[in-house]
Amino acid sequence: MTALIGISCSYSHSRHTFQVRSSYIRAVERAGGVPVILPAVRSDYAVERYVEYCDGFILSGGGDLDPLLWGEEPHPGLGEVDPERDQFELALVQGLLQKNKPGLFICRGLQVLNVALGGDLIQDIVSDILHRQTAPRYSPSHEIQIEKESLLYSLLNNDSVRVNSFHHQAIRKLGNGLKITAYSRDGIVEAVELPGSSFILGVQWHPEDLRDEGSFRLFSRLVESAAGHECQNPEAAADVEY
Ligand code: MN
């Protein structure tokens, strides 16, 4: 059995179009999973069906979360928000946690996970470290330091790696039950996980755009956890362009 991996996406209000970067799709496929895109729906029954139907989830990157979610006024540095996407993804997180389904929460996804568990966010980071790199997406920029007793360490086999960085928000108050497993040198939270869960991992960077073996393992472990066994894509070697 292959694992069906539901991937959240963004909505362009100007184009009336749901959209997600292709690198998420390719990363899941390379890892032996079957990617499906989950548009933000408004009905509870549809969210429930997504949760039931998919074996694992990726909450993808995107715009900012609405600070009203934790009772704060918008800061002048706040970027574009989409309350409808927020509501949908928060419901999706509640659902998948209840059903103990695995999830990989990427960039905005990590922030959604944190807010879903009662945490909040820094609306606009002030730091000496650049978290909005201008280098290409596949190019690692700043360093992170990884907690040794963690799922992330078991996947990357290193207590320090370089990651790419395309965010200006970050975790402030940590969500209930989450454990911080990586920081950048300026103290910004770069990874969290939920101990005791099947596989709940949040990363503040974009592993789907990196090309190293460790980044690939994040996706293969998600797919394996979703399938309940090891998975391999026999055609993966031919799939070089992404
Ligand atoms: Mn960063």
Side-chain angles (χ1 to χ4, degrees), residues 73-88:
E73 292 296 317
H75 184 279
L78 182 69
E80 197 177 328
V81 299
D82 180 352
E84 202 162 272
R85 182 179 182 186
D86 291 349
Q87 289 308 325
F88 165 68

Side-chain angles (χ1 to χ4, degrees), residues 117-135:
L117 290 170
D120 65 22
L121 306 175
I122 301 168
Q123 289 191 43
D124 193 24
I125 298 168
V126 178
S127 172
D128 291 336
I129 290 179
L130 181 66
H131 288 277
R132 269 181 157 170
Q133 74 183 56
T134 52

Side-chain angles (χ1 to χ4, degrees), residues 125 129-132 141-144 163-167 169 184 186 188-190 204-205:
I125 298 168
I129 290 179
L130 181 66
H131 288 277
R132 269 181 157 170
S141 63
H142 71 66
E143 187 192 51
I144 61 166
V163 296
N164 55 7
S165 193
F166 300 94
H167 61 112
Q169 298 203 308
S184 46
D186 53 359
I188 292 294
V189 175
E190 289 279 342
Q204 187 57 80
W205 67 97

Side-chain angles (χ1 to χ4, degrees), residues 1-240:
M1 281 287 286
T2 51
L4 197 62
I5 306 296
I7 304 170
S8 71
C9 61
S10 61
Y11 183 74
S12 162
H13 287 269
S14 57
R15 291 196 225 156
H16 307 278
T17 304
F18 289 103
Q19 52 194 27
V20 67
R21 298 179 63 82
S22 56
S23 49
Y24 294 100
I25 312 298
R26 298 293 172 225
V28 168
E29 199 181 5
R30 269 201 312 284
V34 179
V36 288
I37 300 171
L38 307 180
V41 288
R42 297 166 182 166
S43 338
D44 292 343
Y45 78 86
V47 177
E48 281 168 26
R49 197 65 200 274
Y50 282 167
V51 170
E52 194 186 328
Y53 212 61
C54 296
D55 305 303
F57 295 85
I58 291 177
L59 266 75
S60 63
D64 292 351
L65 271 89
D66 189 343
L68 273 175
L69 290 167
W70 58 94
E72 206 167 66
E73 292 296 317
H75 184 279
L78 182 69
E80 197 177 328
V81 299
D82 180 352
E84 202 162 272
R85 182 179 182 186
D86 291 349
Q87 289 308 325
F88 165 68
E89 289 188 330
L90 289 168
L92 192 63
V93 172
Q94 302 292 0
L96 73 91
L97 290 177
Q98 262 171 26
K99 299 276 183 205
N100 200 27
K101 299 245 173 149
L104 178 57
F105 300 81
I106 295 177
C107 196
R108 170 191 158 89
L110 162 147
Q111 298 168 3
V112 174
L113 173 67
N114 188 57
V115 171
L117 290 170
D120 65 22
L121 306 175
I122 301 168
Q123 289 191 43
D124 193 24
I125 298 168
V126 178
S127 172
D128 291 336
I129 290 179
L130 181 66
H131 288 277
R132 269 181 157 170
Q133 74 183 56
T134 52
R137 296 187 72 86
Y138 58 78
S139 164
S141 63
H142 71 66
E143 187 192 51
I144 61 166
Q145 289 172 310
I146 300 170
E147 170 74 38
K148 278 202 166 166
E149 299 295 318
S150 68
L151 171 62
L152 185 62
Y153 184 87
S154 77
L155 292 166
L156 299 183
N157 294 315
N158 212 323
D159 57 10
S160 157
V161 299
R162 299 195 91 80
V163 296
N164 55 7
S165 193
F166 300 94
H167 61 112
H168 77 117
Q169 298 203 308
I171 289 178
R172 185 172 57 186
K173 179 188 160 204
L174 188 64
N176 297 318
L178 288 174
K179 178 185 169 192
I180 296 172
T181 55
Y183 287 101
S184 46
R185 286 200 175 268
D186 53 359
I188 292 294
V189 175
E190 289 279 342
V192 296
E193 55 197 56
L194 191 63
S197 62
S198 56
F199 175 95
I200 297 293
L201 176 63
V203 296
Q204 187 57 80
W205 67 97
H206 284 273
E208 75 282 7
D209 289 318
L210 294 174
R211 294 170 176 178
D212 61 292
E213 192 56 34
S215 299
F216 173 74
R217 274 197 296 274
L218 270 56
F219 294 93
S220 54
R221 183 69 70 86
L222 169 70
V223 168
E224 282 173 15
S225 180
H229 57 79
E230 264 189 46
C231 295
Q232 262 176 1
N233 178 352
E235 298 158 35
D239 175 24
V240 287

